[in-house]
């Protein structure tokens, strides 16, 4: 049992299973694209439980009494629930997650919306190659918008909500050869018209490489390209990112 400000069980389980980037490498991280329920969602006043493994299965569940700090009235709290199921075998990992946010009664932007997200994904090892796949559907708004805030405000903001749903798909692969790793993902993020009336689907392309100098230190190169806007799905928008560096894990 874990208590306090922390990530949801969906963030813990899904990102490393469904993408070779996990939530690392900035824009290339899975949570920065359509899978925003896995975007390292930190919430306040959380109770989280991760079960022991049984026959390869484990369960994660978390509940936030108020994602953005304590309010004077209980009815003004923004509450959130996250449930995750994972299977880890010798070659295969599968994950299913569900999240729901219940906005505060005073949130002027909610208008009856209760953001939710379903995610399904995993990976399978074929020799030196891991194959990754994932799917997500988010309704009524972004789970990420329920992040705790230093201000203590419990309103998710106008951009935290939308009508309808947004679907995201991912395919990826990672090749390991001694100290070398090459990996990449292709993603397709498609909003419903009633969610973003003037929006258009976005394609995501990510590629990365690492070289291990030791068990704790490696060199990395990463490149990422979005051919649209993944927050408002505006037309004639794009994002590029390239970077390299050294990482040391303590």
């Amino acid at each position: 049992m874990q208590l306090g400000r922390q990530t949801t069980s969906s963030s813990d389980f899904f990102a490393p299973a469904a993408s070779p980037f996990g939530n690392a490498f900035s824009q290339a991280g899975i949570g920065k694209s359509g899978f925003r329920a896995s975007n390292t969602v930190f919430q306040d006043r959380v109770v989280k439980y991760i079960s022991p493994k049984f026959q390869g299965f484990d369960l994660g569940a978390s509940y936030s009494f108020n994602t953005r700090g304590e309010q004077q009235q209980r009815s003004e709290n923004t509450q959130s629930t996250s449930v995750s199921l994972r299977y880890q075998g010798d070659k295969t990992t599968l994950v299913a997650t569900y999240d729901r946010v219940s906005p505060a009664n005073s949130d002027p932007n909610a208008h009856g919306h209760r953001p939710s997200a379903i995610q399904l994904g995993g990976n399978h090892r074929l020799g030196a190659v891991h194959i990754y796949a994932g799917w997500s559907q988010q309704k009524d708004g972004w789970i990420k918008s329920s992040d705790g805030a230093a201000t203590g405000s419990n309103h998710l903001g106008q951009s935290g909500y939308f009508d309808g749903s947004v679907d995201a798909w991912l395919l990826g692969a990672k090749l390991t050869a001694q100290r070398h790793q090459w990996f990449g993902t292709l993603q397709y993020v498609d909003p419903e018209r009633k969610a973003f009336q003037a929006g258009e689907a976005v394609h995501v392309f990510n590629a990365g490489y690492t070289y291990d100098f030791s068990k704790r230190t490696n060199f990395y190169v990463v490149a990422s390209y979005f051919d649209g806007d993944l927050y408002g799905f505006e037309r004639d928008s794009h994002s590029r990112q390239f970077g390299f560096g050294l990482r040391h894990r303590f």
Side-chain angles (χ1 to χ4, degrees):
M1 187 75 70
Q2 302 174 42
L3 306 175
R5 176 177 168 81
Q6 56 196 290
T7 54
T8 63
S9 66
S10 295
S11 289
D12 295 342
F13 278 36
F14 193 79
S19 171
F21 293 92
N23 254 328
F25 301 102
S26 190
Q27 180 176 291
I30 189 172
K32 296 298 191 296
S33 60
F35 295 80
R36 295 192 64 200
S38 289
N39 191 15
T40 318
V41 183
F42 273 97
Q43 296 174 344
D44 297 337
R45 298 180 60 80
V46 172
V47 176
K48 181 163 64 176
Y49 173 74
I50 306 296
S51 74
K53 283 189 170 60
F54 178 74
Q55 299 293 321
F57 289 92
D58 59 348
L59 174 72
S62 60
Y63 179 79
S64 172
F65 291 93
N66 189 17
T67 68
R68 296 186 167 220
E70 185 65 17
Q71 304 299 314
Q72 293 183 353
Q73 300 292 328
R74 185 176 179 182
S75 62
E76 302 307 309
N77 291 343
T78 296
Q79 300 166 341
S80 178
T81 302
S82 177
V83 180
S84 308
L85 179 65
R86 175 172 57 190
Y87 169 77
Q88 291 179 299
D90 292 337
K91 295 183 178 181
T92 302
T93 298
L94 300 172
V95 177
T97 72
Y98 176 77
D99 292 82
R100 178 175 286 276
V101 173
S102 298
N105 294 339
S106 63
D107 193 328
N109 302 300
H111 302 300
H113 291 85
R114 296 180 65 193
S116 66
I118 299 173
Q119 299 180 125
L120 302 174
N123 66 80
H124 180 72
R125 178 168 57 86
L126 297 170
V129 178
H130 276 80
I131 304 298
Y132 294 80
W135 168 78
S136 171
Q137 184 177 83
Q138 294 166 99
K139 293 183 177 180
D140 277 359
W142 305 112
I143 298 296
K144 177 63 177 176
S145 297
S146 65
D147 257 347
T151 62
S153 171
N154 61 347
H155 298 161
L156 303 192
Q158 185 175 4
S159 62
Y161 300 102
F162 53 79
D163 295 324
S165 63
V166 175
D167 286 87
W169 292 265
L170 176 148
L171 286 175
K174 178 174 67 176
L175 171 64
T176 302
Q178 296 180 344
R179 296 188 176 189
H180 305 271
Q181 285 190 335
W182 295 267
F183 42 96
T185 59
L186 301 175
Q187 298 180 46
Y188 179 72
V189 188
D190 187 24
E192 277 190 329
R193 284 294 180 186
K194 65 179 180 179
F196 297 90
Q197 294 182 1
E200 62 180 359
V202 176
H203 299 83
V204 179
F205 308 90
N206 298 313
Y209 166 78
T210 64
Y211 176 81
D212 293 333
F213 292 107
S214 67
K215 291 182 178 180
R216 294 187 178 185
T217 304
N218 69 8
F219 168 78
Y220 71 87
V221 178
V222 63
S224 177
Y225 175 69
F226 298 176
D227 70 357
D229 175 13
L230 276 169
Y231 295 91
F233 296 95
E234 299 177 1
R235 297 178 180 273
D236 301 321
S237 176
H238 66 271
S239 176
R240 299 186 182 96
Q241 190 175 78
F242 174 80
F244 62 90
L246 291 173
R247 298 191 303 172
H248 183 75
R249 298 180 291 273
F250 293 93

